[in-house]
Short mmCIF file of all heavy atoms in Angstrom, two decimals:
data_model
loop_
_atom_site.label_atom_id
_atom_site.label_comp_id
_atom_site.label_asym_id
_atom_site.label_seq_id
_atom_site.Cartn_x
_atom_site.Cartn_y
_atom_site.Cartn_z
N GLY W 1 -18.37 0.68 6.50
CA GLY W 1 -18.73 0.18 7.82
C GLY W 1 -18.64 1.27 8.86
O GLY W 1 -18.77 2.45 8.57
N SER W 2 -18.42 0.85 10.09
CA SER W 2 -18.42 1.77 11.22
C SER W 2 -17.06 2.45 11.35
O SER W 2 -16.29 2.17 12.28
CB SER W 2 -18.77 1.01 12.50
OG SER W 2 -18.89 1.88 13.61
N ILE W 3 -16.79 3.37 10.43
CA ILE W 3 -15.48 4.02 10.35
C ILE W 3 -15.55 5.43 10.92
O ILE W 3 -16.36 6.24 10.47
CB ILE W 3 -14.97 4.07 8.91
CG1 ILE W 3 -14.82 2.66 8.34
CG2 ILE W 3 -13.65 4.83 8.83
CD1 ILE W 3 -14.53 2.64 6.86
N PHE W 4 -14.69 5.71 11.86
CA PHE W 4 -14.50 7.08 12.33
C PHE W 4 -13.38 7.76 11.55
O PHE W 4 -13.52 8.91 11.13
CB PHE W 4 -14.19 7.10 13.83
CG PHE W 4 -13.93 8.48 14.37
CD1 PHE W 4 -14.97 9.34 14.64
CD2 PHE W 4 -12.63 8.92 14.59
CE1 PHE W 4 -14.74 10.61 15.13
CE2 PHE W 4 -12.39 10.20 15.09
CZ PHE W 4 -13.45 11.05 15.36
N SER W 5 -12.29 7.05 11.36
CA SER W 5 -11.19 7.58 10.58
C SER W 5 -10.33 6.44 10.06
O SER W 5 -10.28 5.37 10.66
CB SER W 5 -10.33 8.55 11.41
OG SER W 5 -9.67 7.87 12.46
N ILE W 6 -9.67 6.70 8.95
CA ILE W 6 -8.67 5.79 8.42
C ILE W 6 -7.32 6.49 8.49
O ILE W 6 -7.16 7.57 7.93
CB ILE W 6 -8.99 5.37 6.98
CG1 ILE W 6 -10.25 4.52 6.95
CG2 ILE W 6 -7.81 4.60 6.37
CD1 ILE W 6 -10.68 4.10 5.56
N ASN W 7 -6.38 5.88 9.16
CA ASN W 7 -5.08 6.49 9.37
C ASN W 7 -4.06 6.08 8.32
O ASN W 7 -3.14 6.84 8.02
CB ASN W 7 -4.54 6.14 10.76
CG ASN W 7 -5.48 6.59 11.87
OD1 ASN W 7 -5.97 5.79 12.66
ND2 ASN W 7 -5.74 7.89 11.92
N ALA W 8 -4.23 4.90 7.78
CA ALA W 8 -3.29 4.42 6.77
C ALA W 8 -3.95 3.35 5.93
O ALA W 8 -4.80 2.60 6.41
CB ALA W 8 -2.02 3.88 7.41
N MET W 9 -3.55 3.28 4.68
CA MET W 9 -3.97 2.21 3.80
C MET W 9 -2.75 1.70 3.06
O MET W 9 -1.79 2.44 2.83
CB MET W 9 -5.05 2.67 2.81
CG MET W 9 -6.32 3.16 3.49
SD MET W 9 -7.68 3.50 2.34
CE MET W 9 -8.21 1.82 1.94
N GLY W 10 -2.80 0.44 2.69
CA GLY W 10 -1.68 -0.14 2.00
C GLY W 10 -2.09 -1.27 1.08
O GLY W 10 -3.21 -1.78 1.16
N TRP W 11 -1.19 -1.60 0.19
CA TRP W 11 -1.37 -2.72 -0.73
C TRP W 11 -0.28 -3.75 -0.49
O TRP W 11 0.90 -3.40 -0.37
CB TRP W 11 -1.33 -2.25 -2.18
CG TRP W 11 -2.52 -1.45 -2.59
CD1 TRP W 11 -2.65 -0.10 -2.59
CD2 TRP W 11 -3.76 -1.97 -3.09
NE1 TRP W 11 -3.89 0.27 -3.04
CE2 TRP W 11 -4.59 -0.86 -3.35
CE3 TRP W 11 -4.25 -3.24 -3.33
CZ2 TRP W 11 -5.89 -1.01 -3.85
CZ3 TRP W 11 -5.53 -3.39 -3.82
CH2 TRP W 11 -6.34 -2.28 -4.08
N TYR W 12 -0.69 -5.00 -0.42
CA TYR W 12 0.21 -6.14 -0.27
C TYR W 12 -0.03 -7.09 -1.43
O TYR W 12 -1.06 -7.03 -2.11
CB TYR W 12 -0.04 -6.87 1.04
CG TYR W 12 0.26 -6.08 2.29
CD1 TYR W 12 -0.55 -5.04 2.70
CD2 TYR W 12 1.38 -6.40 3.07
CE1 TYR W 12 -0.28 -4.32 3.85
CE2 TYR W 12 1.66 -5.69 4.22
CZ TYR W 12 0.83 -4.65 4.61
OH TYR W 12 1.10 -3.95 5.75
N ARG W 13 0.93 -7.97 -1.66
CA ARG W 13 0.73 -8.99 -2.67
C ARG W 13 1.37 -10.30 -2.22
O ARG W 13 2.31 -10.31 -1.43
CB ARG W 13 1.29 -8.57 -4.03
CG ARG W 13 2.81 -8.46 -4.08
CD ARG W 13 3.25 -7.90 -5.43
NE ARG W 13 4.69 -7.79 -5.54
CZ ARG W 13 5.32 -7.21 -6.54
NH1 ARG W 13 4.62 -6.68 -7.55
NH2 ARG W 13 6.65 -7.16 -6.57
N GLN W 14 0.82 -11.38 -2.74
CA GLN W 14 1.33 -12.70 -2.44
C GLN W 14 1.32 -13.54 -3.70
O GLN W 14 0.26 -13.85 -4.24
CB GLN W 14 0.52 -13.38 -1.34
CG GLN W 14 1.11 -14.68 -0.85
CD GLN W 14 0.51 -15.15 0.46
OE1 GLN W 14 -0.57 -14.71 0.85
NE2 GLN W 14 1.21 -16.04 1.14
N ALA W 15 2.50 -13.89 -4.16
CA ALA W 15 2.65 -14.75 -5.33
C ALA W 15 2.64 -16.21 -4.88
O ALA W 15 2.89 -16.51 -3.71
CB ALA W 15 3.95 -14.42 -6.06
N PRO W 16 2.36 -17.13 -5.81
CA PRO W 16 2.36 -18.55 -5.43
C PRO W 16 3.68 -18.96 -4.79
O PRO W 16 4.76 -18.62 -5.28
CB PRO W 16 2.15 -19.26 -6.77
CG PRO W 16 1.40 -18.27 -7.60
CD PRO W 16 1.96 -16.93 -7.21
N GLU W 17 3.58 -19.65 -3.69
CA GLU W 17 4.74 -20.16 -2.96
C GLU W 17 5.67 -19.05 -2.47
O GLU W 17 6.85 -19.30 -2.21
CB GLU W 17 5.51 -21.17 -3.81
CG GLU W 17 4.67 -22.37 -4.24
CD GLU W 17 5.45 -23.37 -5.05
OE1 GLU W 17 6.53 -23.03 -5.57
OE2 GLU W 17 4.98 -24.52 -5.17
N LYS W 18 5.14 -17.84 -2.34
CA LYS W 18 5.91 -16.72 -1.82
C LYS W 18 5.20 -16.14 -0.59
O LYS W 18 4.00 -16.31 -0.41
CB LYS W 18 6.08 -15.62 -2.87
CG LYS W 18 6.78 -16.06 -4.14
CD LYS W 18 8.26 -16.32 -3.89
CE LYS W 18 8.97 -16.62 -5.20
NZ LYS W 18 10.41 -16.86 -4.99
N GLN W 19 5.95 -15.45 0.23
CA GLN W 19 5.37 -14.77 1.38
C GLN W 19 4.68 -13.49 0.95
O GLN W 19 5.06 -12.87 -0.04
CB GLN W 19 6.45 -14.46 2.42
CG GLN W 19 7.06 -15.69 3.09
CD GLN W 19 8.03 -15.32 4.18
OE1 GLN W 19 8.64 -14.26 4.16
NE2 GLN W 19 8.18 -16.21 5.15
N ARG W 20 3.68 -13.09 1.71
CA ARG W 20 3.01 -11.84 1.44
C ARG W 20 3.96 -10.67 1.72
O ARG W 20 4.67 -10.67 2.74
CB ARG W 20 1.75 -11.70 2.30
CG ARG W 20 0.90 -10.50 1.96
CD ARG W 20 -0.43 -10.51 2.71
NE ARG W 20 -1.23 -11.68 2.37
CZ ARG W 20 -2.47 -11.87 2.79
NH1 ARG W 20 -3.07 -10.96 3.55
NH2 ARG W 20 -3.12 -12.97 2.44
N GLU W 21 3.98 -9.70 0.82
CA GLU W 21 4.89 -8.58 0.97
C GLU W 21 4.15 -7.26 0.79
O GLU W 21 3.18 -7.17 0.04
CB GLU W 21 6.04 -8.66 -0.05
CG GLU W 21 5.59 -8.57 -1.50
CD GLU W 21 6.75 -8.55 -2.48
OE1 GLU W 21 7.90 -8.34 -2.05
OE2 GLU W 21 6.50 -8.73 -3.69
N LEU W 22 4.64 -6.25 1.48
CA LEU W 22 4.10 -4.91 1.33
C LEU W 22 4.55 -4.31 0.01
O LEU W 22 5.74 -4.32 -0.30
CB LEU W 22 4.56 -4.03 2.50
CG LEU W 22 4.14 -2.56 2.44
CD1 LEU W 22 2.62 -2.42 2.54
CD2 LEU W 22 4.82 -1.77 3.55
N VAL W 23 3.61 -3.78 -0.74
CA VAL W 23 3.90 -3.15 -2.03
C VAL W 23 3.98 -1.64 -1.89
O VAL W 23 4.94 -1.01 -2.35
CB VAL W 23 2.84 -3.53 -3.08
CG1 VAL W 23 3.09 -2.80 -4.39
CG2 VAL W 23 2.83 -5.04 -3.30
N ALA W 24 2.98 -1.04 -1.28
CA ALA W 24 2.93 0.41 -1.12
C ALA W 24 1.96 0.76 -0.01
O ALA W 24 1.01 0.02 0.24
CB ALA W 24 2.50 1.09 -2.42
N SER W 25 2.19 1.89 0.64
CA SER W 25 1.31 2.35 1.70
C SER W 25 1.20 3.86 1.65
O SER W 25 2.06 4.54 1.08
CB SER W 25 1.81 1.89 3.07
OG SER W 25 3.09 2.42 3.35
N ILE W 26 0.14 4.37 2.27
CA ILE W 26 -0.08 5.81 2.30
C ILE W 26 -0.66 6.19 3.65
O ILE W 26 -1.55 5.52 4.17
CB ILE W 26 -0.99 6.27 1.14
CG1 ILE W 26 -1.11 7.79 1.11
CG2 ILE W 26 -2.36 5.60 1.21
CD1 ILE W 26 -1.73 8.31 -0.18
N ASN W 27 -0.13 7.26 4.22
CA ASN W 27 -0.65 7.80 5.47
C ASN W 27 -0.49 9.32 5.43
O ASN W 27 -0.22 9.89 4.38
CB ASN W 27 0.04 7.17 6.68
CG ASN W 27 1.54 7.36 6.68
OD1 ASN W 27 2.07 8.31 6.11
ND2 ASN W 27 2.25 6.45 7.34
N SER W 28 -0.65 9.96 6.59
CA SER W 28 -0.59 11.41 6.62
C SER W 28 0.79 11.95 6.26
O SER W 28 0.92 13.11 5.87
CB SER W 28 -1.00 11.92 8.00
OG SER W 28 -0.13 11.44 9.00
N ARG W 29 1.82 11.14 6.40
CA ARG W 29 3.18 11.57 6.08
C ARG W 29 3.49 11.49 4.60
O ARG W 29 4.41 12.15 4.11
CB ARG W 29 4.19 10.73 6.85
CG ARG W 29 4.10 10.83 8.36
CD ARG W 29 5.16 9.95 9.01
NE ARG W 29 5.07 9.97 10.46
CZ ARG W 29 5.86 9.27 11.26
NH1 ARG W 29 6.81 8.49 10.74
NH2 ARG W 29 5.71 9.33 12.56
N GLY W 30 2.75 10.67 3.88
CA GLY W 30 3.03 10.48 2.48
C GLY W 30 2.92 9.03 2.08
O GLY W 30 2.15 8.27 2.67
N THR W 31 3.70 8.64 1.10
CA THR W 31 3.65 7.29 0.57
C THR W 31 4.97 6.58 0.72
O THR W 31 6.03 7.20 0.86
CB THR W 31 3.26 7.29 -0.92
OG1 THR W 31 4.24 8.01 -1.67
CG2 THR W 31 1.90 7.95 -1.12
N ASN W 32 4.91 5.27 0.69
CA ASN W 32 6.09 4.43 0.75
C ASN W 32 5.91 3.29 -0.23
O ASN W 32 4.85 2.65 -0.25
CB ASN W 32 6.31 3.90 2.16
CG ASN W 32 7.57 3.08 2.27
OD1 ASN W 32 8.65 3.55 1.97
ND2 ASN W 32 7.43 1.83 2.72
N ASP W 33 6.92 3.04 -1.04
CA ASP W 33 6.86 1.99 -2.06
C ASP W 33 7.98 0.98 -1.84
O ASP W 33 9.09 1.34 -1.45
CB ASP W 33 7.01 2.57 -3.46
CG ASP W 33 5.99 3.63 -3.79
OD1 ASP W 33 4.82 3.48 -3.36
OD2 ASP W 33 6.34 4.59 -4.50
N ALA W 34 7.68 -0.27 -2.12
CA ALA W 34 8.71 -1.28 -2.11
C ALA W 34 9.70 -1.02 -3.24
O ALA W 34 9.33 -0.48 -4.29
CB ALA W 34 8.09 -2.67 -2.27
N ASP W 35 10.95 -1.40 -3.03
CA ASP W 35 11.97 -1.16 -4.05
C ASP W 35 11.61 -1.81 -5.39
O ASP W 35 11.92 -1.27 -6.45
CB ASP W 35 13.32 -1.69 -3.58
CG ASP W 35 13.92 -0.85 -2.48
OD1 ASP W 35 13.52 0.31 -2.31
OD2 ASP W 35 14.82 -1.36 -1.77
N SER W 36 10.94 -2.95 -5.34
CA SER W 36 10.63 -3.68 -6.55
C SER W 36 9.62 -2.97 -7.44
O SER W 36 9.51 -3.29 -8.63
CB SER W 36 10.11 -5.07 -6.21
OG SER W 36 8.94 -5.00 -5.42
N VAL W 37 8.88 -2.00 -6.89
CA VAL W 37 7.85 -1.32 -7.67
C VAL W 37 8.08 0.17 -7.79
O VAL W 37 7.28 0.86 -8.45
CB VAL W 37 6.44 -1.58 -7.10
CG1 VAL W 37 6.18 -3.07 -6.98
CG2 VAL W 37 6.25 -0.88 -5.76
N LYS W 38 9.14 0.69 -7.18
CA LYS W 38 9.42 2.12 -7.26
C LYS W 38 9.52 2.58 -8.71
O LYS W 38 10.17 1.96 -9.53
CB LYS W 38 10.72 2.45 -6.52
CG LYS W 38 10.55 2.60 -5.02
CD LYS W 38 11.83 3.10 -4.38
CE LYS W 38 11.69 3.25 -2.87
NZ LYS W 38 10.66 4.24 -2.50
N GLY W 39 8.87 3.70 -8.98
CA GLY W 39 8.87 4.24 -10.33
C GLY W 39 7.84 3.63 -11.24
O GLY W 39 7.65 4.12 -12.36
N ARG W 40 7.17 2.57 -10.81
CA ARG W 40 6.17 1.91 -11.64
C ARG W 40 4.76 1.95 -11.04
O ARG W 40 3.79 2.09 -11.77
CB ARG W 40 6.56 0.45 -11.88
CG ARG W 40 7.90 0.29 -12.59
CD ARG W 40 8.14 -1.16 -13.01
NE ARG W 40 8.21 -2.06 -11.86
CZ ARG W 40 7.37 -3.08 -11.66
NH1 ARG W 40 6.40 -3.33 -12.53
NH2 ARG W 40 7.52 -3.86 -10.60
N PHE W 41 4.66 1.80 -9.72
CA PHE W 41 3.37 1.77 -9.05
C PHE W 41 3.16 3.07 -8.27
O PHE W 41 4.10 3.63 -7.71
CB PHE W 41 3.28 0.61 -8.07
CG PHE W 41 3.25 -0.76 -8.69
CD1 PHE W 41 3.45 -0.95 -10.05
CD2 PHE W 41 3.00 -1.87 -7.89
CE1 PHE W 41 3.43 -2.21 -10.61
CE2 PHE W 41 2.97 -3.13 -8.44
CZ PHE W 41 3.18 -3.32 -9.79
N ILE W 42 1.91 3.52 -8.22
CA ILE W 42 1.56 4.73 -7.49
C ILE W 42 0.33 4.44 -6.63
O ILE W 42 -0.70 4.01 -7.15
CB ILE W 42 1.26 5.90 -8.43
CG1 ILE W 42 2.46 6.18 -9.35
CG2 ILE W 42 0.91 7.16 -7.63
CD1 ILE W 42 2.15 7.17 -10.46
N ILE W 43 0.43 4.70 -5.33
CA ILE W 43 -0.71 4.55 -4.44
C ILE W 43 -1.30 5.93 -4.19
O ILE W 43 -0.58 6.90 -3.96
CB ILE W 43 -0.31 3.87 -3.12
CG1 ILE W 43 -1.55 3.62 -2.26
CG2 ILE W 43 0.74 4.67 -2.36
CD1 ILE W 43 -1.28 2.76 -1.03
N THR W 44 -2.62 6.02 -4.25
CA THR W 44 -3.32 7.27 -3.99
C THR W 44 -4.55 7.00 -3.15
O THR W 44 -5.00 5.86 -3.01
CB THR W 44 -3.76 7.97 -5.29
OG1 THR W 44 -4.60 7.10 -6.05
CG2 THR W 44 -2.55 8.37 -6.13
N ARG W 45 -5.09 8.06 -2.57
CA ARG W 45 -6.32 7.97 -1.81
C ARG W 45 -7.23 9.10 -2.27
O ARG W 45 -6.83 10.26 -2.28
CB ARG W 45 -6.04 8.06 -0.31
CG ARG W 45 -7.27 7.89 0.56
CD ARG W 45 -6.89 7.88 2.02
NE ARG W 45 -8.06 7.94 2.87
CZ ARG W 45 -8.02 8.02 4.19
NH1 ARG W 45 -6.85 8.04 4.81
NH2 ARG W 45 -9.16 8.07 4.89
N TYR W 46 -8.45 8.75 -2.64
CA TYR W 46 -9.37 9.73 -3.17
C TYR W 46 -9.87 10.64 -2.07
O TYR W 46 -10.23 10.19 -0.98
CB TYR W 46 -10.55 9.03 -3.85
CG TYR W 46 -11.39 9.95 -4.69
CD1 TYR W 46 -11.01 10.30 -5.98
CD2 TYR W 46 -12.59 10.46 -4.20
CE1 TYR W 46 -11.78 11.13 -6.76
CE2 TYR W 46 -13.37 11.30 -4.97
CZ TYR W 46 -12.96 11.64 -6.25
OH TYR W 46 -13.74 12.46 -7.01
N LYS W 47 -9.91 11.93 -2.33
CA LYS W 47 -10.33 12.92 -1.34
C LYS W 47 -11.78 12.67 -0.92
O LYS W 47 -12.66 12.45 -1.75
CB LYS W 47 -10.18 14.33 -1.92
CG LYS W 47 -10.50 15.44 -0.93
CD LYS W 47 -10.48 16.79 -1.60
CE LYS W 47 -9.14 17.14 -2.16
NZ LYS W 47 -9.11 18.51 -2.73
#
């Protein structure tokens, strides 16, 4: 779409009868992972 820049992207998840939670995010500083997925999930952004 009409994108000038993307500053951050992230992944969230929502299980049945659960609240939506942040799983992982990536920005210019690096990445951040939820404790529940650390060591198992990796977020990347294609150049």
Side-chain angles (χ1 to χ4, degrees):
S2 185
I3 299 171
F4 178 79
S5 66
I6 293 178
N7 302 120
M9 299 188 75
W11 289 94
Y12 295 73
R13 67 186 181 188
Q14 188 165 19
E17 301 181 343
K18 300 290 186 179
Q19 293 185 333
R20 187 173 298 187
E21 64 175 346
L22 176 65
V23 176
S25 61
I26 185 167
N27 58 26
S28 62
R29 298 180 183 179
T31 61
N32 183 57
D33 303 323
D35 289 341
S36 60
V37 305
K38 279 187 180 298
R40 300 190 297 119
F41 292 8
I42 303 170
I43 185 171
T44 58
R45 183 175 171 184
Y46 193 81
K47 184 186 298 184

